[in-house]
Each structure stands twice: as structure tokens, then as C-alpha cells.
Amino acid sequence: MKDNTLFRKLLISGTLTWVGLLAVVPYLILFRTSFLERGGEILQATGWSLTNYTRLFSPAVFSMAMDSALLAAGTALLCLLVGYPFAYILVRSGEKVQPLLLLLVMIPFWTNSLIRTYALVIMLKADGIINALLLRLGLIDQPLQLMYTSLAVFIGLVYTLLPFMILPLFAAFKAMDLQLIEAGRDLGAGPLQTFLRIIVPLTMPGIIAGTMLVFLPALGMFYIADILGGARSMLLGNYIRDQFLVFRDLPMGAAASIAMTVAMGILLFLYYLASRRSGEGHLK
Amino acid sequence: MKPLVSTLAAVLLLLCLAVSAHSSNRVLNLYIWSEYIPDEVVAAFTRETGIRVNLSTYDSNEAMYAKIKLIGSGYDLVVPSSDYVGLMQREGLLLPVDTTKITNFAHIAPRFTNQSFDPNNQYSIPYMWGSTSIAVHTGMIAAESVQSLADLWQPELKGRLLLPNDPREVMAIGLKVLGYSVNETNAEHLQQAYEKLRALMPLVRVFDSDSPKQALLSREVAVGVVWNGEAYIANSENQAIEYVYPPEGFSLWLDSFCIPRGAENIEAAHLFIDYILRPEISAEISTAMGYSTPNKAAFAHLDPETKDNPIVNPDPEDAARGEFLDSLDDATLQLYEQHWINLKTGR
């Protein structure tokens, strides 16, 4: 028993040190840097400047942030539309099929997402696999323009992030008592009513968690939009990278990163509020 | 007693010599672009001098710069591009190179030495160079219709044009077509270049600096402003892809050997640079890698295919219109940033 608590203490303090050193400290450095003037060094820092944060509200940067948010929201919606039925099928599938299907969801994780994105290029390009197949079948006589379109960007983002939607939805479906559906049916609910009033509310935690897990990374995955979309529009992720690497304005890049994190934090807080309220609702 | 002391002293002295020789002369920590030097050249250098070369690689100037700036030790030789030579030198990240120790320095053609980013080559010795210019897929558009930068603005190229995903290179197109320098700092000239480029944006299908040959080879775009190494590979895979040096001018890149702050094997670094500058070695590297060498004495040793390929070695008349990218001051960089964001967000 005593050994157990010692082990636990060691484990917890080890984890805390790890998180502290590798997550909290860099974040504090980033936070302090975001209040410096361009070219400022954190060790010789004197004042706190808000210039970088006011620059975030310039029309160009603001529209860029909106574009990024729309793209991420679209990706989350598409993932939900594809992932929801799949998670349902996954839960209803037999004991032999289910592990296999889950494995198929996980396998892409074994390959680096950058490599998978380049693999998509081979599929989508004008002389790529899809176009070659359609031409061979005689369905088209000119190659389709698939690469460097918003369609390609959505294909890439949904393909990369879909597992993050499926897994929480799968957990939510798994926790749902299937007898409730039968009970609803016994009480005279039609299929649509069963779906909207029983299945959706009960899987809501999974829907929200999945949406968060897709939306937040989609904001940062600028390389997919660059490679598949042709980098014609600028996203928040590009902007932050350019500030650090191209324009060497570390404080501005830090400010944009902090702003993005705060925005995400607000979303998570709203999620927390919503889930608490729905929890209270259940109690009443 | 006496023989014992002197033997001990001799042993100690030998040990010291061995240790000092080991630390100052026997190792070289080379930090260079990936796929930028043939392994055989490095092995031959070690065979001849006994200096072991620890080779590490990077794939962007920024990555190398960050490492030198933040860590500041562990490397004896780096290979930054011209603009980063200027920047790193101004920030005190480079140690001077002693050109008197580099006997082969005289082989470098004069137009690569004594550049604005490093007058008198106090800090950098040119290694390889190239250009960023126009590649045309003649299977998709007539070669005659794209011969200058101004031709990029033709409506036939709508949705068929590729530009580098790099603010400096894109601004360079707008600046050169108006007759300004690629290192322009005049705010009004930059504004004019931006206005000019705004009209080009609707034609652009893709911005790519990583692997632009891909889009040309798969016929996604008909014309691309690319780096000559990419054009060289694209051309060797498909002869229809030609490389044009426009009359208005274009930007040049030059990568140079520099000794970073914190280097420990400065002697070995000099020996290595001198070895690379031997005409036959420079020629061997250029042939193996497909990049141009600034070493004029190396030309006699180049195989004819490399020597006569205009993508690798433009004729001097064409090359003279090129201009090396230099680093910019912070204020100018901020103007570039503004214009770049406005171009990308369509303002």
C-alpha cells in the first residue's frame, strides 16, 4: 500500500515536471515574447507592448483568421457527416468485424500525415490515378482539375482528421443504452423522432468532443492547404510560420499563437459550460 | 630519476600533441544543405588529410540560422545563402575567413566575389549558385509567347501560372518588371511593385517553392517561376520544359561557406574550403549535383553535358542580368510583409 502511494507520487511528480518543462515554460516564454516590440529579446525585456495584439485586428489579418475558422468549421462539419453514420455502423457491427473496422480507422496514423498528403497529390493531380482511371473508362475526355482547389483541401483535411471524429463518437455510441431506442419506439416515436430526440442528445458529448478534436487541429494544418490547395490563400498557420521564419518578427508570431490559443480556450470553456448546463438539465 | 622524468615529460608532450591535434585538426563539423555535397568528395578529403568530417544537414536557411543563433556552437562550417550571409554577419554570428589560407580562392570568377552582402569576402567563400527564373512547358504554350517577365501578365495564363511561395521571390518579379532592384528598399517602388503584382494574382494557380517541378510535369500549370535546380530536373524528365532568362532580369542565389560563431576547428574549416575550391573537385561536385559552380578554373574539368546546359550554366550575357538577393533591414521587411499578406488575402 505504502509502495503504491510512493509509486503514485513519483509518477505524478514526474508527469508534472515533464508537462511543466515542456509545455508550461515554453508557453510562458511565448506569452512574454508576444508583448515585446519587434526584435526584442526576452532576457533584456523592459516594457509590455500591445502593438502586436492591435496588429491582429488589421483587416487583412482578421479576414485571414475568418477564412481559417471557416475552413476548419467546414472540415468539422464534413467529418461529422461522414463519421456519424460510420461510428453507428461500428457500434452495431459484430464482434469479429468491429476490431477490424477500428484497425482500419487507426492504420493511417502509422504513416506521417505529410507523406499521406503527398500520396493524395499522386491520386488527385492532372495525370494522377483518379484522372487516369476516369479517362481510361471514357467517363471524361479532359483531365479534371482536382489539384489546387478547395475540394482537394477539404479531401485532405477530412481524410487526415476523420479518425479524431470517429473515435469519440464511437465511445459515445458505445456508452449509449440501445434499449432506450427500443423504449422510444414502444412509446410511438418514428425513426426521425428517435434520431433527433434520443440518439443525437445522448451522443452529444461525442459530437462536441469530435468537433473540437477536428476543428482545433484543422486551424493549424496549413501544410495541407498549401500542398493541395496551391497556397493561394493565407491561413492563420501560414501567417504564424511566416512571422517566425520569413519576416523574423518573433513577437508578432508569438502574439498570433497566443491569440489562437485563447480563442481555442474560449471555445473549450463554452463547451464546458454547455455540458454542465445539459448535465443540470438531466438532473431536473 | 632524470630519465624517468624526461620520459614522463615526453609521454605527456606526445599526449598533449595528440589531444590538441585531435581537437583542432582532426575533426570538421560540417552543417550543410541536404544532398548538397557528394559523399565521395568528403571521403576523399578525409583520406587525404586525415580529418574526419561529421556531416549534418538542413533544408532551410531559417533552420540553420535558428540553430547557430540559439545554440551557437558545435559547427565549424555552414553554407548559408547570400541574404543570410549578410544577416548573420551583421548579427555577429560569423567568424572571419582568412582568404590568404585559401590558395584556390583565385579560381572563383570575379562576379561572385566582393558582393554587397560581404565586401572583400571577409566572411564567406562562394560554393554554388543558381537563379530563379521562368520555366515554360512548351507542350502547353508556345515558347515564343513567354520570353519576358511582362509576358507573365497575359490572360492566356489564367489559372496556369505557378509562383514561388516566397515573399522575396514574388516581390522580385514585380520589382524587376518595373526595372527596380530585387533588394529594393524604397517604399514607393515597393508599393508600385505590389500594385503591379495584384493584377498577376488572378492568374496564379499555385504558389510552391518546395517541389514546383511536380505541377509543371503533371501539366497542372504551363508556366512557373522556379529555381533552376527544379527546372533542371523537370527538363531532364521532359525536354518540352524550357528555362528562360527574361530581359528584365531575375534573382540569383549564391550559397557560401561560412565559419559560424563557436566553431572549434577553424584550421580544418579552411583546409576543407581550400580542398573544395580545387578546380577538379569543384567540377566533380557540379557534375554530380547539377548546380553551377562559381569556380572558373573548374570549367575545363566539367563534362560537356553539364557545361553546355544553359539551365546550369547560362551564358555570361544572360547571367549578367541576374541580381543576388541580399538581406533586408527590419523596416523594409515589414513593408514586404504587408504587401505579401495583402497579395495573399486579395486586397
Side-chain angles (χ1 to χ4, degrees):
Chain A
M1 207 54 193
K2 210 173 183 186
D3 274 350
N4 187 19
T5 53
L6 181 70
F7 176 70
R8 207 188 293 174
K9 272 183 188 161
L10 273 176
L11 204 66
I12 292 174
S13 59
T15 313
L16 281 181
T17 319
W18 180 267
V19 171
L21 276 180
L22 296 176
V24 179
V25 171
Y27 234 94
L28 289 177
I29 296 174
L30 202 64
F31 182 75
R32 183 66 185 93
T33 307
S34 72
F35 289 98
L36 297 178
E37 296 280 355
R38 188 197 164 93
E41 298 271 350
I42 190 161
L43 291 176
Q44 296 127 32
T46 46
W48 293 74
S49 153
L50 284 173
T51 333
N52 299 322
Y53 286 97
T54 50
R55 268 171 72 194
L56 279 179
F57 290 95
S58 73
V61 179
F62 195 73
S63 83
M64 192 159 54
M66 284 298 112
D67 287 351
S68 309
L70 274 179
L71 186 70
T75 306
L77 187 69
L78 284 171
C79 281
L80 185 63
L81 289 178
V82 178
Y84 202 82
F86 185 82
Y88 184 70
I89 294 168
L90 203 55
V91 162
R92 300 301 293 261
S93 59
E95 264 172 50
K96 276 187 187 151
V97 187
Q98 199 184 70
L100 188 75
L101 287 177
L102 269 176
L103 186 73
L104 287 177
V105 173
M106 304 298 283
I107 281 177
F109 277 126
W110 300 351
T111 311
N112 181 294
S113 69
L114 196 59
I115 293 172
R116 282 186 280 142
T117 308
Y118 276 109
L120 274 180
V121 173
I122 296 173
M123 301 281 293
L124 298 173
K125 62 184 184 171
D127 57 352
I129 293 171
I130 292 177
N131 271 315
L133 194 71
L134 292 176
L135 284 170
R136 180 72 61 86
L137 292 174
L139 293 172
I140 51 172
D141 49 6
Q142 278 285 319
L144 298 174
Q145 283 208 349
L146 298 172
M147 273 300 284
Y148 313 122
T149 59
S150 337
L151 176 69
V153 177
F154 276 121
I155 289 175
L157 283 171
V158 170
Y159 167 63
T160 308
L161 295 169
L162 191 58
F164 294 102
M165 180 62 89
I166 290 176
L167 295 178
L169 282 175
F170 173 67
F173 273 117
K174 197 138 199 174
M176 191 175 81
D177 189 350
L178 292 175
Q179 282 181 325
L180 287 173
I181 298 177
E182 286 159 30
R185 228 173 262 160
D186 288 346
L187 293 171
L192 186 70
Q193 223 177 359
T194 312
F195 179 72
L196 287 178
R197 297 185 61 180
I198 301 175
I199 302 181
V200 170
L202 283 175
T203 51
M204 197 43 101
I207 295 176
I208 294 179
T211 308
M212 289 285 173
L213 284 177
V214 171
F215 182 81
L216 299 183
L219 275 180
M221 287 194 161
F222 57 86
Y223 58 91
I224 291 181
D226 276 4
I227 294 172
L228 297 172
R232 272 195 312 278
S233 59
M234 204 176 203
L235 301 174
L236 216 47
N238 299 95
Y239 179 75
I240 294 173
R241 179 203 52 190
D242 282 357
Q243 290 303 324
F244 280 108
L245 294 181
V246 182
F247 302 113
R248 297 192 301 275
D249 192 345
L250 270 52
M252 188 62 222
S257 309
I258 295 283
M260 196 157 130
T261 314
V262 168
M264 289 176 177
I266 292 173
L267 281 176
L268 284 173
F269 183 68
L270 289 177
Y271 164 56
Y272 166 75
L273 283 185
S275 65
R276 209 175 56 167
R277 189 166 303 161
S278 72
E280 278 167 7
H282 278 299
L283 284 179
K284 281 171 196 168
Chain B
M1 220 27 197
K2 224 177 173 185
L4 185 64
V5 169
S6 56
T7 318
L8 263 176
V11 167
L12 272 175
L13 191 71
L14 267 175
L15 267 174
C16 285
L17 277 177
V19 167
S20 72
H22 189 81
S23 66
S24 71
N25 252 330
R26 299 293 104 184
V27 187
L28 175 73
N29 298 305
L30 171 64
Y31 193 31
I32 188 168
W33 294 86
S34 48
E35 318 235 352
Y36 212 37
I37 191 160
D39 293 338
E40 304 84 66
V41 170
V42 175
F45 172 74
T46 304
R47 269 201 305 279
E48 186 178 309
T49 60
I51 297 172
R52 192 161 49 88
V53 179
N54 297 324
L55 195 125
S56 10
T57 60
Y58 54 87
D59 47 27
S60 71
N61 279 307
E62 292 87 3
M64 180 272 305
Y65 168 78
K67 251 194 182 167
I68 299 298
K69 185 163 180 162
L70 299 175
I71 302 169
S73 69
Y75 299 112
D76 303 315
L77 214 46
V78 293
V79 192
S81 304
S82 48
D83 50 338
Y84 272 76
V85 172
L87 173 75
M88 292 174 82
Q89 190 266 316
R90 273 196 288 281
E91 294 194 347
L93 298 178
L94 299 181
L95 300 177
V97 180
D98 187 353
T99 40
T100 60
K101 285 187 183 158
I102 296 172
T103 50
N104 292 318
F105 183 67
H107 293 318
I108 298 177
R111 66 192 180 89
F112 298 104
T113 59
N114 197 16
Q115 293 289 326
S116 64
F117 52 83
D118 184 19
N120 300 319
N121 291 78
Q122 286 182 290
Y123 296 92
S124 67
I125 307 293
Y127 176 52
M128 291 213 257
W129 69 283
S131 56
T132 305
S133 194
I134 306 171
V136 185
H137 195 312
T138 57
M140 297 178 72
I141 191 165
E144 311 84 67
S145 61
V146 187
Q147 287 300 314
S148 68
L149 284 178
D151 289 341
L152 295 180
W153 272 259
Q154 59 184 300
E156 285 77 59
L157 284 180
K158 185 164 173 58
R160 303 167 82 198
L161 176 65
L162 177 147
L163 293 185
N165 195 18
D166 178 316
R168 286 298 304 274
E169 295 287 7
V170 170
M171 284 300 279
I173 298 168
L175 289 166
K176 272 292 169 200
V177 82
L178 294 171
Y180 300 132
S181 157
V182 298
N183 300 312
E184 192 63 59
T185 55
N186 180 318
E188 205 172 303
H189 295 172
L190 287 169
Q191 179 69 28
Q192 289 168 15
Y194 158 71
E195 299 286 351
K196 183 85 184 146
L197 285 167
R198 248 173 59 170
L200 189 63
M201 288 301 116
L203 309 186
V204 179
R205 175 113 191 268
V206 45
F207 290 91
D208 188 357
S209 318
D210 295 323
S211 186
K213 58 178 178 293
Q214 184 105 57
L216 277 164
L217 283 168
S218 59
R219 303 173 72 96
E220 299 278 0
V221 296
V223 174
V225 176
V226 305
W227 165 60
N228 69 325
E230 287 286 310
Y232 178 77
I233 302 171
N235 173 267
S236 57
E237 282 182 36
N238 185 346
Q239 299 279 309
I241 296 169
E242 291 174 8
Y243 194 59
V244 179
Y245 295 101
E248 297 100 329
F250 48 90
S251 72
L252 289 176
W253 54 268
L254 174 68
D255 293 338
S256 302
F257 282 117
C258 292
I259 303 176
R261 181 184 67 174
E264 282 167 2
N265 307 296
I266 292 170
E267 205 55 45
H270 282 86
L271 281 173
F272 188 79
I273 298 174
D274 203 30
Y275 182 82
I276 296 298
L277 289 186
R278 287 183 196 172
E280 65 281 10
I281 303 293
S282 283
E284 184 186 342
I285 297 171
S286 180
T287 306
M289 298 278 128
Y291 302 105
S292 340
T293 173
N295 191 326
K296 62 179 190 297
F299 267 68
H301 302 270
L302 279 179
D303 72 304
E305 216 168 296
T306 314
K307 191 161 65 182
D308 299 334
N309 187 329
I311 303 178
V312 184
N313 289 304
D315 64 63
E317 213 175 291
D318 283 336
R321 295 195 302 276
E323 190 184 0
F324 287 105
L325 283 178
D326 200 347
S327 69
L328 298 169
D329 59 281
D330 277 0
T332 310
L333 212 50
Q334 271 180 321
L335 292 177
Y336 273 77
E337 182 204 337
Q338 267 313 309
H339 293 318
W340 178 243
I341 292 172
N342 287 340
L343 284 175
K344 278 280 189 111
T345 53
R347 253 147 231 288

